[in-house]
Amino acid sequence: MSWFLVVVAGLLEAGWAFGLKFTEGFTKPVPSALTIAGIMASMYLLAVATRTLPMGTAYAVWVGIGTFGAIILGVAFLDEPLGAGRVFFLVLL
């Protein structure tokens, strides 16, 4: 169950990182509230998962999922470039 929580937390991290683009520096109330809720949920699930998983391992998986997901969302929905450098570092993840 803890690994499931880490995966969900990582997906939420990707979601809130993507949501940051729409907050416009936290000046837009609805996107800001959703992004903050995503941050809180993601951190909570990570904290719960670290009750039984090693913190360093859970954190690394959480960050990896969040980073990979944020890049994919940016490329798919924000027309961000996917150059050789980004692909290289995604493969390293």
Side-chain angles (χ1 to χ4, degrees):
M1 185 64 163
S2 293
W3 283 114
F4 175 75
L5 294 178
V6 171
V7 170
V8 172
L11 294 172
L12 285 168
E13 183 190 10
W16 70 253
F18 180 70
L20 284 173
K21 183 75 169 181
F22 303 98
T23 67
E24 295 185 23
F26 290 101
T27 61
K28 300 263 183 162
V30 173
S32 296
L34 292 172
T35 299
I36 291 167
I39 292 168
M40 292 171 57
S42 179
M43 294 297 293
Y44 174 77
L45 292 177
L46 178 64
V48 170
T50 60
R51 290 179 187 162
T52 57
L53 296 174
M55 185 274 305
T57 304
Y59 181 75
V61 171
W62 176 72
V63 168
I65 292 169
T67 302
F68 188 86
I71 290 172
I72 297 305
L73 288 170
V75 169
F77 296 106
L78 301 175
D79 296 321
E80 293 180 354
L82 186 62
R86 289 182 105 185
V87 171
F88 173 76
F89 286 110
L90 278 173
V91 170
L92 286 180
L93 280 175

